[in-house]
Amino acid sequence: MTEPLSLSAEPLFGLPLAELWFGLLFFVLGTFLFLDGFDFGVGALFATRDDHDEREQLIAAIGPFWDGNEVWLVVFGGMLFAAFPVVYAALFSRHYLLMFAILGALIVRGLAPEMYEQREDDQWQRWWGRAFVVGSVTAPFFLGLFTANWALGASRTLTVPGVVVGLAVVALTVVDGAAFLRLKTRGGLQADLRGAAQRAVVAYLLLVVLALATIYATTPAVRSALLSAEALALVAATVCLAGGYVLAIRTDRHYLAFAAAAGLVFALVGVVARLTYPYVDRVAGVTVREGIVSTLPLNLMSIGAAVLLPLVFLYFVVLYSAFSGPIEAGESY
């Protein structure tokens, strides 16, 4: 009897696809946190501006980008579902309240600037301005809480390390948002943001130190990963990047400051990935190789990702090129 034809039972080109998809998953998470992070940061900084024209400039600065940036969160969820379906089901059911909180905050953040522009009414704009700030602050906080719970294997929704990491992510988005706004604004508004940027990066560093100390004290299971060479190198890189960010802010090197903010985001995500590995679901004890889908669909997904992801990046290059340049005074959403 003839054996059924079998497509490849070996990983594509002999690559360690399980580890590559694990790394790609966190890379996409970092891309979302960086790109949508400056949107969140702009929303948080919106609370510091009283002038109507300056508020309009802040909203106009992120107007062309924020909905496109959220695509990366959808890509992250889709990749987790496709590559690690068992983890997707367990993780999202375990933290479903956080999932609803993140989605609710994103809805408020997206709806608020749209509604803000609908009426030239002080009370109306005050209410929706506050909603914009609340959505922009709570979304990264809940996202940081969720990510910390995932990495540390927490089954409860509220944990002390998770709360501290959530606050650190909020501070990081302000660092990111201030760097972005100094690219997009000019004059007095740009100058005022210098102090906010420096205070935010100091707050972020302090919260990172507190988060690491809290994780070390409360989660013995990840202490070896926390003290690994990779994690320590990323922490050292964070300190160097923060110093470079402050120097770039003080010398008005706006693109360098924005690049340093990107480095800070990916360094944080790298630490989270290192604390998670070799598990992809620490609570259930599922490792990366145990949680990944079988070889054939993994090979097909890898081919699809190799084709589609460059196209997505190309789209964002075109988007950001089309809307490059500063926001002019009086320009609105």
Side-chain angles (χ1 to χ4, degrees), residues 5-15 17 293-299:
L5 179 62
S6 174
L7 297 178
S8 176
E10 296 296 326
L12 196 66
F13 303 124
L15 295 171
L17 292 182
V293 294
S294 58
T295 303
L296 177 58
L298 190 60
N299 285 343

Side-chain angles (χ1 to χ4, degrees), residues 229-321:
E230 299 87 352
L232 293 176
L234 287 168
V235 172
T238 295
V239 176
C240 294
L241 286 165
Y245 178 87
V246 172
L247 182 61
I249 288 291
R250 289 182 174 178
T251 56
D252 292 334
R253 297 182 179 180
H254 308 310
Y255 284 100
L256 186 59
F258 196 50
L264 288 170
V265 170
F266 282 100
L268 175 63
V269 174
V271 171
V272 172
R274 182 62 189 89
L275 294 182
T276 306
Y277 190 80
Y279 296 97
V280 71
D281 186 358
R282 189 176 292 274
V283 174
V286 178
T287 65
V288 171
R289 296 207 168 192
E290 292 169 345
I292 198 74
V293 294
S294 58
T295 303
L296 177 58
L298 190 60
N299 285 343
L300 294 175
M301 287 192 305
S302 299
I303 295 170
V307 173
L308 293 177
L309 282 178
L311 294 177
V312 175
F313 276 105
L314 179 61
Y315 163 77
F316 275 86
V317 169
V318 173
L319 173 67
Y320 279 81
S321 298

Side-chain angles (χ1 to χ4, degrees), residues 2-64:
T2 305
E3 292 289 334
L5 179 62
S6 174
L7 297 178
S8 176
E10 296 296 326
L12 196 66
F13 303 124
L15 295 171
L17 292 182
E19 288 77 10
L20 287 175
W21 273 86
F22 178 79
L24 185 60
L25 187 68
F26 278 92
F27 173 77
V28 169
L29 179 61
T31 303
F32 166 73
L33 185 57
F34 170 55
L35 293 180
D36 215 25
F38 69 68
D39 298 330
F40 297 142
V42 170
L45 290 166
F46 187 86
T48 67
R49 316 314 302 176
D50 295 324
D51 183 78
H52 175 74
D53 290 337
E54 289 185 350
R55 287 190 161 199
E56 290 285 355
Q57 287 184 62
L58 263 61
I59 295 177
I62 63 169

Side-chain angles (χ1 to χ4, degrees), residues 14-297:
L15 295 171
L17 292 182
E19 288 77 10
L20 287 175
W21 273 86
F22 178 79
L24 185 60
L25 187 68
F26 278 92
F27 173 77
V28 169
L29 179 61
T31 303
F32 166 73
L33 185 57
F34 170 55
L35 293 180
D36 215 25
F38 69 68
D39 298 330
F40 297 142
V42 170
L45 290 166
F46 187 86
T48 67
R49 316 314 302 176
D50 295 324
D51 183 78
H52 175 74
D53 290 337
E54 289 185 350
R55 287 190 161 199
E56 290 285 355
Q57 287 184 62
L58 263 61
I59 295 177
I62 63 169
F65 307 118
W66 71 263
D67 50 350
N69 291 341
E70 288 188 352
V71 166
W72 290 102
L73 184 61
V74 178
V75 174
F76 170 77
M79 286 181 60
L80 184 61
F81 173 76
F84 301 98
V86 174
V87 178
Y88 177 92
L91 192 63
F92 281 33
S93 62
R94 189 183 306 131
H95 297 295
Y96 70 94
L97 289 177
L98 272 177
M99 292 298 98
F100 281 114
I102 292 170
L103 290 175
L106 289 174
I107 290 170
V108 171
R109 193 285 306 269
L111 183 63
E114 300 283 350
M115 300 302 294
Y116 182 90
E117 297 293 336
Q118 295 302 310
R119 293 186 191 175
E120 292 293 333
D121 178 84
D122 289 343
Q123 185 174 358
W124 174 271
Q125 291 190 334
R126 188 181 309 114
W127 198 94
W128 285 109
R130 289 170 180 170
F132 182 42
V133 174
V134 169
S136 299
V137 171
T138 55
F141 173 76
F142 289 136
L143 183 66
L145 180 58
F146 167 76
T147 306
N149 287 348
W150 177 20
L152 302 179
S155 55
R156 293 183 294 113
T157 299
L158 283 177
T159 61
V160 174
V163 169
V164 178
V165 171
L167 293 173
V169 173
V170 173
L172 181 57
T173 61
V174 177
V175 171
D176 196 5
F180 175 75
L181 285 175
R182 282 178 60 81
L183 275 173
K184 299 293 288 184
T185 59
R186 295 293 182 266
L189 177 56
Q190 185 190 63
D192 286 347
L193 290 167
R194 179 180 298 167
Q198 294 179 91
R199 290 190 295 272
V201 78
V202 170
Y204 173 66
L205 286 178
L206 292 175
L207 285 166
V208 165
V209 171
L210 181 59
L212 294 175
T214 305
I215 291 169
Y216 186 87
T218 62
T219 318
V222 301
R223 284 177 183 169
S224 59
L226 191 61
L227 297 176
S228 66
E230 299 87 352
L232 293 176
L234 287 168
V235 172
T238 295
V239 176
C240 294
L241 286 165
Y245 178 87
V246 172
L247 182 61
I249 288 291
R250 289 182 174 178
T251 56
D252 292 334
R253 297 182 179 180
H254 308 310
Y255 284 100
L256 186 59
F258 196 50
L264 288 170
V265 170
F266 282 100
L268 175 63
V269 174
V271 171
V272 172
R274 182 62 189 89
L275 294 182
T276 306
Y277 190 80
Y279 296 97
V280 71
D281 186 358
R282 189 176 292 274
V283 174
V286 178
T287 65
V288 171
R289 296 207 168 192
E290 292 169 345
I292 198 74
V293 294
S294 58
T295 303
L296 177 58

